[in-house]
Amino acid sequence: MDTEEKGFSRTDRFESICKEIHDSWGKKDFLIQFTLTQFEWRKVRDMYMETYKEDILQLCQKIDSPFSSLMLNPFERDADVAREALYHSDTVNYKALIEIFTCRKSSHVLLIIQAYLAKYRKHLDHEIVSIEPPHPYQKILMAFSASHKAHYDDISQHIAKCDAKRLFQTGEGKLGAIDEAVVLEIFSKRSIAQLKLTFFFYKHIYGHSYTSFLKNGHFGEFEHTVRFVAKCISSPPKYYAKALYECLKGTTIDDGGLVRIIVSRSDVDMDEIEKLFEKKYGMELKNVICEVIQEENHRDFLVALVNKVSTWKSASY
């Protein structure tokens, strides 16, 4: 029975949660107990501010609680992810940027760009273009930026088949490297959903994926970059399952990458990612997290988030 049917409204529920958080502040695991979607966490943040005149997001940030990431609007969080990808270390985290531009709706990407400008007083596009030294990822990211701004909604099987044939003719259908100009043109004029359909028809027509002929290692940086991007577009859950494994079992543990991925996909397709992870690697994701992550605060947060995904109801942003 829904809480409203019991005479306990959603407002009452959020007020109760806020009081419990306020009374339990600082106690171990006091936030983990709440099974809330990100949408609900933002409602709790609003209610907490209204009731106690404090921003629970800032309080969480003061104690370095990863729960702060759940209380941001998704586009604000992705703006922060983009900033960190650009400036957090000596090398740009292009994978994080590609995730933003290929695994988000166009309307979401435009909000990210606006949020980035509002918070950091700089245009995200300009930041990406100015990266030194130059890298093929920059060209592809700018192509996607143009595509998102065009905001194509319709998906055409005819266009997908034509693009698939064009990619073949300017790629494995000839000797030498793939035609960079053709790839960038297609990426800049097609939505992510349209590109996904193009890669589907490529496999249907030619009997193998677009990325398969790029595996042999005889190509340059642009081809390897295109291969990564195409994999990300073709099956985000498969991409994220592999990315999570690399975060956990790579040469170094990428705690930030784990939080970024699990938080961003928790309200999207985390169930499917978990299943693919277990199928591919023969281990449950939460068990690997417990085995690998030593920092208790982040480990408990990640496990709690993975555990709660299956119990959450869908929530719109």
Side-chain angles (χ1 to χ4, degrees):
M1 182 180 291
D2 192 82
T3 54
E4 282 82 354
E5 294 178 11
K6 297 177 183 178
F8 188 65
S9 70
R10 289 176 65 87
T11 300
D12 290 337
R13 181 189 177 213
F14 292 138
E15 286 179 345
S16 176
I17 290 171
C18 286
K19 184 178 186 306
E20 193 168 349
I21 291 174
H22 185 266
D23 294 344
S24 303
W25 191 261
K27 292 182 180 178
K28 179 178 171 59
D29 299 338
F30 71 108
L31 291 175
I32 290 176
Q33 62 182 302
F34 300 106
T35 306
L36 302 174
T37 65
Q38 294 182 42
F39 176 79
E40 290 170 331
W41 271 118
R42 294 196 295 276
K43 289 294 184 182
V44 167
R45 180 188 176 189
D46 293 341
M47 181 65 70
Y48 199 94
M49 173 65 79
E50 181 181 332
T51 305
Y52 298 104
K53 312 305 178 189
E54 289 184 296
D55 189 346
I56 191 174
L57 169 66
Q58 294 180 2
L59 294 175
C60 285
Q61 289 174 336
K62 285 181 180 178
I63 62 172
D64 194 29
S65 170
F67 275 89
S68 61
S69 60
L70 301 178
M71 300 173 195
L72 286 167
N73 283 315
F75 52 87
E76 292 175 329
R77 184 175 61 242
D78 280 339
D80 289 342
V81 168
R83 184 70 174 184
E84 184 173 342
L86 289 165
Y87 293 107
H88 184 66
S89 63
D90 293 335
T91 57
V92 176
N93 187 347
Y94 284 111
K95 289 186 177 181
L97 293 172
I98 289 295
E99 289 170 13
I100 289 173
F101 279 86
T102 62
C103 297
R104 312 289 192 267
K105 294 179 180 179
S106 290
S107 56
H108 185 119
V109 173
L110 296 179
L111 288 172
I112 294 169
I113 293 171
Q114 292 173 14
Y116 193 95
L117 177 61
K119 185 169 183 177
Y120 299 109
R121 306 301 181 192
K122 292 187 178 181
H123 292 276
L124 180 56
D125 288 0
H126 296 171
E127 298 272 78
I128 293 171
V129 168
S130 63
I131 296 171
E132 293 290 345
H135 194 283
Y137 275 119
Q138 290 168 279
K139 299 177 183 179
I140 290 176
L141 285 166
M142 296 317 299
F144 286 141
S145 179
S147 173
H148 285 300
K149 288 173 183 174
H151 206 158
Y152 303 101
D153 290 322
D154 295 335
I155 299 175
S156 166
Q157 292 192 13
H158 173 70
I159 291 176
K161 291 175 183 177
C162 290
D163 284 347
K165 291 177 181 178
R166 195 175 177 204
L167 287 174
F168 177 84
Q169 292 165 357
T170 58
E172 67 176 308
K174 68 177 184 63
L175 294 176
I178 62 178
D179 192 321
E180 183 176 316
V182 170
V183 172
L184 292 176
E185 179 192 345
I186 291 174
F187 282 5
S188 66
K189 292 182 177 179
R190 308 292 184 245
S191 67
I192 298 301
Q194 183 68 50
L195 289 174
K196 186 173 183 177
L197 187 62
T198 294
F199 294 137
F200 169 82
F201 276 116
Y202 192 103
K203 186 173 184 179
H204 179 75
I205 295 169
Y206 300 108
H208 56 268
S209 69
Y210 175 60
T211 60
S212 62
F213 86 102
L214 297 172
K215 288 181 180 179
N216 58 31
H218 298 312
F219 295 103
E221 267 191 328
F222 185 79
E223 285 79 7
H224 291 299
T225 301
V226 170
R227 181 169 181 260
F228 171 81
V229 170
K231 282 180 170 291
C232 196
I233 293 172
S234 297
S235 177
K238 186 181 291 185
Y239 161 78
Y240 280 114
K242 182 179 180 181
L244 285 171
Y245 183 82
E246 291 174 348
C247 286
L248 290 161
K249 293 292 189 176
T251 52
T252 57
I253 299 170
D254 185 359
D255 188 56
L258 287 171
V259 173
R260 182 186 78 243
I261 292 171
I262 293 176
V263 169
S264 69
R265 307 312 289 184
S266 62
D267 285 352
V268 183
D269 53 5
M270 197 64 216
D271 276 339
E272 188 176 356
I273 293 169
E274 279 188 274
K275 291 174 184 175
L276 287 170
F277 186 96
E278 185 172 3
K279 181 179 180 181
K280 183 175 179 64
Y281 302 109
M283 301 174 284
E284 286 192 39
L285 176 59
K286 61 183 179 182
N287 291 342
V288 182
I289 291 172
C290 288
E291 171 193 330
V292 172
I293 301 299
Q294 300 299 314
E295 207 283 309
E296 186 176 10
N297 195 27
H298 278 68
R299 182 189 65 221
D300 293 346
F301 165 76
L302 290 167
V303 172
L305 197 56
V306 170
N307 281 338
K308 288 171 184 175
V309 166
S310 60
T311 67
W312 285 353
K313 297 178 180 179
S314 297
S316 65
Y317 289 153

